[in-house]
Structure formats: structure tokens, C-alpha cells
Amino acid sequence: MLAALVEQLKQTGLQADPADPAGPEDVACDMCPGRKRKAIRSCLNCLASYCENHLQPHYSAAPLQKHKLVEPSKKLLENICSRHDEVMKVFCRTDQQCICILCTMDEHKGHETTPAAAERAERQKELEENRQQIRKKIQDQEKELKRLQQEVRDACVSADEAVKNTEKIFTELISLLQKRRSDAKQRIRSQQEAQVLRVKEVQEKLEQELNDLKKRDAELEQLSHTEDHNQFLQSYALLSAPSDIADSCGIDAGPLRHFEDMTAAVSELRDKLQDILRDMGTNTLQMVSSSQPEPKSRAEFLKYACEITLDPNTAFRTLELSKKNRAAMVGYVDESYTPNPERFSSYRQVLSRQSLTGRCYFEFKWVGIGIFVAVAYKSIKRGGREDESLFGFNDQSWALRCDFECLSLKETGYTFCHNKAETSVSGPQSCKLGVYLDHSAGVLAFYDVSETMTLLHRVQTTFTQPLYAGLGFYFGDGGDAEADSITTRTTRRKAKMNKTMR
């Protein structure tokens, strides 16, 4: 039978059509003489690869039909044991490798072994289970991907609609502002015309009176040169009749107005509109902001830096503010501020002009003794009994008190205060502090700002109103503070204060 098979293979090999030669990347037929054709199957029993013609005996010869045919492979010889030149049909579970039957009697003697086919079946089962898990994950990921894609589409549609609506609203707002501008201009011009007309009428009366007086003066002068006494007396009596003399005191042009009140009203409207727009922009991003992690490095904190300027309407009467309202100095005499219900009357404190909503960060650099850095609601009391208006001693404010002299870093350190509850805070004593606020998340944190950001104290609460930055001085020797776009600085300048304030 084998001789017949060899003869048949020789004949089919001679008749092979070299029209389908094996390329460099293909598995070549082991039976083709000369130019080899591309193999279409490999036999694990014969350890050979066959083209279509040479594979036919595996389909027609009964003994060959039981051979295991697989996809063409160049690694068939890897199934031969290099030690015994036998086909490796056994799997050693102890060493996790394929071996031949002779290996079980040699170096793998006593090891846990199993037929390679059985091991394959078990591993195939595990593979299917892994594939099921992977396919489930793929389905979940595809489902999540579709959801995200739909979310992107929905976000785009919603954004387009929001842009359309906001464009319309802002157009209406601009139109309204333009109309108000036109009305204000027309009102000013109308008042101007009325005032000018009234003044001109008074001016004409005064000019007429002036002419009459000049004429009467000329007549009196001429009469004074009359030598005839009788004629003088008769003429004087007629010229000096009280009914003929105009009363200039009765002419009143009314108060002169220069329209400063209109300019002040428009300026106040502008400030309110700016606050509303700023708060609106902050509130729009609150939901996105709250979903982001808290900053870690100073560079990340600076992304939320906000500009701090001090509100002179809230400053205690002995606090001196700089020209740009970014500096505060404790004076020794009253600055003669105008009375204002917003002004602190019991403690040397001042609030920022800007409200703090959303995510905000500002830094506070100081030199001196007895400093409060705080945030507070605008509704905080400005005076009253005991400590009702002191930062940290009511439910309207949260304050970090710095109880050490910054130049020498002496005294006790920090104390956090809220609603009269005081908490001692440990940490590096520094002249530069950072304040971070996430209004919507209810997070307030104070940091020491040096080479690294060191958390001093963190508060988790619920804020029900917009907050304002606060600065307070509570020792009697004074100090000053300066704020720029992200920094509030405090220094002691007692000598200068004595010189300039006295």
C-alpha cells in the first residue's frame, strides 16, 4: 500500500501544474519536486504540508483519512521532540510544556501529564470562557461608546440651540441697552435745552434790567448837573419813583445742574451689569467645575486665579486704601469716610468688591502681626454687640487667623474660626497663603504657598450665598495689605504711617 502511495505521489508530482507557485511568505508543498506549489493543508501526523494535488491521497486512502489536517504551517517540526525525535502528543502540567511519550519515562518521570488533545480541550474551554468575557466587555464598551457618541450629538444639538437662543437674547439685550443709551442721551439733551432756555430767559431779563439801570443812571447824572433848584427837585422826584425801579432780587434762574447724577447712575448700572454677567458666566460652568478634581500644584491653582480689589464702601474708618483699592493700611487717625451702611464700624475689616462663586483662588502675602484672611457673605453684620461682625465669629464668615509676626515667625501660628468655634491649625508658618474656593462643591481650603502647596485647613460645607474675600487687622500696631490679580500682601509700615498720617 505504501509502495502504491509513493508511486501515486510521484505521478501526481510529475503532473503538477506549477501555475500556483509558493511565494516567500507561503508554506511550500513538501512533495512537489523542483518548483514547489503553495500548500493548502498541513498534516500533523505526517508532519508535512501538501498542495491540492498531493493532498488527494489523504482524502482517498483509508489510513490517511484519519490524519489530522490543519491550516498550512511552517512550524510543523516544532511538534517533534528535539531529544527523542518523536511527535509530542503529551502535555506536562508540572512544567507546562509539550513532550513526547518517551519524555514521560525520562526527565518528566513522575510529573503530572495528560494527552495534549485533552489539555487542549480543557484550555479550549477556558479560552471560550475568556472570549465570552471579552465579548461581553466589547459589547459593554460598544454600548458605552454609542452612549457617548449620542451624548456628543445631544451636546452639539443642545449647544447649537443654546447659541441660537443666547444670540437672540444678547441681541435683545444689546438693543435694549442701545435704546436706553438713546433715551439717556435724549433725556440729557432735553434737560440741557430746558436749562439753557431757562437761563437765557433770565439772561434776557437781566440784560433789560441792566439797560434800564444804565439809562436811569445817565438821567440821574444829567440831573445832578442841573443848576435850577426847582427844576432839580421836580425832576428828581419823578426819576426816583419807587415803582419805576426794577427788583432784580425777583429773578431766579433755578439751580444749575451738570448731569453728574446721570453719569453716576449709568456707571452704577454698568457695575451691576458686570457683576450679573460675571456671576452668570461662573454659574454656567459650576456643574462642569464640580466634576473636575481639585488642583494639586500651584500651577493648577493659578488656573482659577481671580482678581481681588477692596471695596472702600466696606472699609473701617481707620483703614487707608490705595488708589487702585488693592492695598489696605491701618492708620492712626480717622480717614473721614462718608457714612455707609456697608461699612464695618466695630472692627478694622474690609471686603472685596468682587463676589466669589464657582472655583476661585487668590493668594495673600503679608508682613505684620494679627491678620485675618477670610471669606464672608455680603449679609454679614457690619457692627453691633460683642463679636457679631468679626470675621469667623458668626455663621456668615470663615476665617484663618495668623497669630504670628511674619518677620520673626513667632507667637502661636494659625487658628481657623467659624461661628465662634476656634480650631488650632498646625503647619509651616509662612508669609504667603493661598485661598481656594469651590463654591458649588462647598469646599474652602487654606494653603501655605512656598516651594510646594501645603494644605493648612480644609472646610467642607454648603454655601448658600455668593462669598466675598475679607481682610482684617486685629492688633493695635497696625499694618497694610495690597492685592493684585491673585495676591493680597500685608506689610507693617509703622514709621511711615506715623509720618504720613500725623
Short mmCIF file of all heavy atoms in Angstrom, two decimals, residues 157-186:
data_model
loop_
_atom_site.label_atom_id
_atom_site.label_comp_id
_atom_site.label_asym_id
_atom_site.label_seq_id
_atom_site.Cartn_x
_atom_site.Cartn_y
_atom_site.Cartn_z
N VAL A 157 -26.25 69.39 19.61
CA VAL A 157 -27.59 69.94 19.32
C VAL A 157 -27.98 70.95 20.39
O VAL A 157 -28.48 72.04 20.10
CB VAL A 157 -28.62 68.80 19.23
CG1 VAL A 157 -30.03 69.37 19.12
CG2 VAL A 157 -28.33 67.91 18.04
N SER A 158 -27.74 70.56 21.67
CA SER A 158 -28.09 71.46 22.76
C SER A 158 -27.26 72.74 22.70
O SER A 158 -27.78 73.84 22.93
CB SER A 158 -27.86 70.75 24.10
OG SER A 158 -28.16 71.61 25.17
N ALA A 159 -25.96 72.60 22.39
CA ALA A 159 -25.10 73.78 22.30
C ALA A 159 -25.54 74.69 21.16
O ALA A 159 -25.58 75.92 21.31
CB ALA A 159 -23.64 73.35 22.11
N ASP A 160 -25.87 74.09 20.01
CA ASP A 160 -26.35 74.90 18.89
C ASP A 160 -27.61 75.66 19.25
O ASP A 160 -27.76 76.85 18.93
CB ASP A 160 -26.59 74.01 17.67
CG ASP A 160 -25.31 73.44 17.10
OD1 ASP A 160 -24.23 73.99 17.40
OD2 ASP A 160 -25.38 72.43 16.37
N GLU A 161 -28.52 74.96 19.94
CA GLU A 161 -29.77 75.60 20.35
C GLU A 161 -29.49 76.70 21.37
O GLU A 161 -30.09 77.79 21.31
CB GLU A 161 -30.71 74.56 20.95
CG GLU A 161 -32.10 75.08 21.27
CD GLU A 161 -32.90 75.44 20.03
OE1 GLU A 161 -32.54 74.94 18.94
OE2 GLU A 161 -33.87 76.21 20.16
N ALA A 162 -28.56 76.41 22.31
CA ALA A 162 -28.22 77.41 23.31
C ALA A 162 -27.56 78.63 22.67
O ALA A 162 -27.85 79.78 23.05
CB ALA A 162 -27.29 76.80 24.36
N VAL A 163 -26.67 78.39 21.70
CA VAL A 163 -26.03 79.51 20.99
C VAL A 163 -27.08 80.35 20.27
O VAL A 163 -27.06 81.59 20.32
CB VAL A 163 -24.98 78.98 20.00
CG1 VAL A 163 -24.52 80.09 19.06
CG2 VAL A 163 -23.79 78.41 20.74
N LYS A 164 -28.01 79.67 19.63
CA LYS A 164 -29.07 80.38 18.91
C LYS A 164 -29.90 81.23 19.88
O LYS A 164 -30.17 82.41 19.61
CB LYS A 164 -29.96 79.37 18.19
CG LYS A 164 -31.11 80.00 17.42
CD LYS A 164 -31.94 78.91 16.74
CE LYS A 164 -33.13 79.52 16.02
NZ LYS A 164 -33.96 78.46 15.37
N ASN A 165 -30.29 80.62 21.00
CA ASN A 165 -31.11 81.35 21.96
C ASN A 165 -30.35 82.49 22.63
O ASN A 165 -30.90 83.59 22.80
CB ASN A 165 -31.63 80.39 23.03
CG ASN A 165 -32.61 79.38 22.47
OD1 ASN A 165 -33.26 79.63 21.44
ND2 ASN A 165 -32.72 78.22 23.10
N THR A 166 -29.08 82.21 23.00
CA THR A 166 -28.30 83.27 23.64
C THR A 166 -28.00 84.41 22.68
O THR A 166 -27.97 85.58 23.09
CB THR A 166 -26.98 82.70 24.20
OG1 THR A 166 -26.29 81.98 23.17
CG2 THR A 166 -27.23 81.78 25.36
N GLU A 167 -27.77 84.08 21.41
CA GLU A 167 -27.58 85.13 20.41
C GLU A 167 -28.82 86.03 20.34
O GLU A 167 -28.71 87.25 20.30
CB GLU A 167 -27.30 84.51 19.04
CG GLU A 167 -25.89 83.96 18.88
CD GLU A 167 -24.86 85.07 18.75
OE1 GLU A 167 -25.25 86.21 18.44
OE2 GLU A 167 -23.67 84.78 18.99
N LYS A 168 -29.98 85.38 20.37
CA LYS A 168 -31.22 86.15 20.33
C LYS A 168 -31.37 87.01 21.57
O LYS A 168 -31.72 88.21 21.50
CB LYS A 168 -32.40 85.18 20.21
CG LYS A 168 -33.75 85.88 20.16
CD LYS A 168 -34.88 84.86 20.04
CE LYS A 168 -36.24 85.56 20.03
NZ LYS A 168 -37.35 84.58 19.96
N ILE A 169 -31.07 86.40 22.74
CA ILE A 169 -31.22 87.15 23.99
C ILE A 169 -30.24 88.31 24.06
O ILE A 169 -30.60 89.44 24.43
CB ILE A 169 -31.01 86.20 25.19
CG1 ILE A 169 -32.15 85.17 25.24
CG2 ILE A 169 -30.95 86.98 26.50
CD1 ILE A 169 -31.92 84.07 26.25
N PHE A 170 -28.97 88.04 23.68
CA PHE A 170 -27.98 89.12 23.71
C PHE A 170 -28.30 90.20 22.68
O PHE A 170 -28.04 91.38 22.92
CB PHE A 170 -26.57 88.55 23.48
CG PHE A 170 -25.92 88.05 24.73
CD1 PHE A 170 -25.75 86.69 24.94
CD2 PHE A 170 -25.51 88.92 25.72
CE1 PHE A 170 -25.15 86.21 26.09
CE2 PHE A 170 -24.91 88.46 26.88
CZ PHE A 170 -24.73 87.10 27.07
N THR A 171 -28.85 89.80 21.56
CA THR A 171 -29.28 90.80 20.57
C THR A 171 -30.35 91.70 21.17
O THR A 171 -30.33 92.93 21.00
CB THR A 171 -29.79 90.10 19.31
OG1 THR A 171 -28.75 89.30 18.74
CG2 THR A 171 -30.24 91.13 18.28
N GLU A 172 -31.32 91.06 21.85
CA GLU A 172 -32.37 91.85 22.50
C GLU A 172 -31.78 92.73 23.60
O GLU A 172 -32.19 93.88 23.77
CB GLU A 172 -33.42 90.90 23.09
CG GLU A 172 -34.19 90.12 22.02
CD GLU A 172 -35.12 89.08 22.64
OE1 GLU A 172 -35.04 88.90 23.89
OE2 GLU A 172 -35.91 88.46 21.91
N LEU A 173 -30.81 92.16 24.35
CA LEU A 173 -30.18 92.93 25.41
C LEU A 173 -29.41 94.12 24.84
O LEU A 173 -29.49 95.24 25.37
CB LEU A 173 -29.25 92.03 26.22
CG LEU A 173 -28.50 92.67 27.39
CD1 LEU A 173 -29.48 93.22 28.40
CD2 LEU A 173 -27.57 91.67 28.05
N ILE A 174 -28.66 93.87 23.77
CA ILE A 174 -27.93 94.97 23.12
C ILE A 174 -28.88 96.02 22.61
O ILE A 174 -28.65 97.23 22.75
CB ILE A 174 -27.04 94.41 21.99
CG1 ILE A 174 -25.92 93.54 22.57
CG2 ILE A 174 -26.45 95.54 21.16
CD1 ILE A 174 -25.13 92.79 21.53
N SER A 175 -29.99 95.57 22.00
CA SER A 175 -31.00 96.51 21.51
C SER A 175 -31.59 97.33 22.65
O SER A 175 -31.79 98.54 22.54
CB SER A 175 -32.10 95.74 20.78
OG SER A 175 -33.12 96.62 20.35
N LEU A 176 -31.84 96.64 23.78
CA LEU A 176 -32.38 97.35 24.94
C LEU A 176 -31.37 98.36 25.47
O LEU A 176 -31.73 99.51 25.80
CB LEU A 176 -32.73 96.34 26.03
CG LEU A 176 -33.27 96.92 27.35
CD1 LEU A 176 -34.56 97.68 27.10
CD2 LEU A 176 -33.48 95.81 28.37
N LEU A 177 -30.09 97.95 25.54
CA LEU A 177 -29.06 98.89 26.00
C LEU A 177 -28.91 100.07 25.06
O LEU A 177 -28.74 101.22 25.50
CB LEU A 177 -27.73 98.14 26.14
CG LEU A 177 -27.62 97.13 27.29
CD1 LEU A 177 -26.29 96.40 27.22
CD2 LEU A 177 -27.77 97.82 28.64
N GLN A 178 -28.98 99.79 23.76
CA GLN A 178 -28.90 100.89 22.80
C GLN A 178 -30.08 101.84 22.95
O GLN A 178 -29.92 103.06 22.86
CB GLN A 178 -28.84 100.32 21.39
CG GLN A 178 -27.53 99.61 21.05
CD GLN A 178 -27.54 98.98 19.68
OE1 GLN A 178 -28.61 98.77 19.11
NE2 GLN A 178 -26.36 98.66 19.17
N LYS A 179 -31.26 101.27 23.21
CA LYS A 179 -32.44 102.12 23.41
C LYS A 179 -32.29 102.94 24.69
O LYS A 179 -32.60 104.14 24.71
CB LYS A 179 -33.70 101.26 23.49
CG LYS A 179 -35.00 102.07 23.57
CD LYS A 179 -36.20 101.15 23.56
CE LYS A 179 -37.50 101.96 23.53
NZ LYS A 179 -37.59 102.92 24.64
N ARG A 180 -31.78 102.28 25.76
CA ARG A 180 -31.57 103.02 27.00
C ARG A 180 -30.51 104.10 26.82
O ARG A 180 -30.61 105.19 27.39
CB ARG A 180 -31.15 102.04 28.11
CG ARG A 180 -32.26 101.10 28.54
CD ARG A 180 -33.37 101.85 29.25
NE ARG A 180 -34.45 100.97 29.65
CZ ARG A 180 -35.53 100.73 28.92
NH1 ARG A 180 -35.68 101.33 27.75
NH2 ARG A 180 -36.47 99.92 29.36
N ARG A 181 -29.49 103.79 26.03
CA ARG A 181 -28.47 104.80 25.76
C ARG A 181 -29.07 105.98 25.02
O ARG A 181 -28.82 107.15 25.34
CB ARG A 181 -27.33 104.18 24.95
CG ARG A 181 -26.21 105.16 24.63
CD ARG A 181 -25.12 104.51 23.81
NE ARG A 181 -25.61 104.15 22.48
CZ ARG A 181 -24.83 103.60 21.53
NH1 ARG A 181 -23.56 103.37 21.80
NH2 ARG A 181 -25.34 103.28 20.36
N SER A 182 -29.90 105.67 24.01
CA SER A 182 -30.55 106.73 23.26
C SER A 182 -31.49 107.54 24.14
O SER A 182 -31.52 108.77 24.07
CB SER A 182 -31.32 106.12 22.08
OG SER A 182 -32.00 107.12 21.36
N ASP A 183 -32.26 106.85 25.02
CA ASP A 183 -33.17 107.55 25.93
C ASP A 183 -32.40 108.44 26.89
O ASP A 183 -32.81 109.59 27.15
CB ASP A 183 -34.00 106.53 26.72
CG ASP A 183 -34.98 105.78 25.84
OD1 ASP A 183 -35.24 106.24 24.71
OD2 ASP A 183 -35.48 104.72 26.27
N ALA A 184 -31.27 107.90 27.42
CA ALA A 184 -30.48 108.70 28.35
C ALA A 184 -29.90 109.93 27.65
O ALA A 184 -29.91 111.03 28.21
CB ALA A 184 -29.35 107.84 28.93
N LYS A 185 -29.41 109.73 26.44
CA LYS A 185 -28.86 110.86 25.68
C LYS A 185 -29.94 111.90 25.40
O LYS A 185 -29.71 113.11 25.55
CB LYS A 185 -28.26 110.34 24.37
CG LYS A 185 -27.62 111.41 23.52
CD LYS A 185 -27.03 110.79 22.26
CE LYS A 185 -26.41 111.87 21.37
NZ LYS A 185 -25.82 111.28 20.14
N GLN A 186 -31.13 111.42 24.98
CA GLN A 186 -32.22 112.34 24.68
C GLN A 186 -32.68 113.09 25.94
O GLN A 186 -32.97 114.30 25.90
CB GLN A 186 -33.40 111.58 24.07
CG GLN A 186 -34.56 112.46 23.65
CD GLN A 186 -35.67 111.66 22.99
OE1 GLN A 186 -35.55 110.46 22.84
NE2 GLN A 186 -36.72 112.35 22.59
#
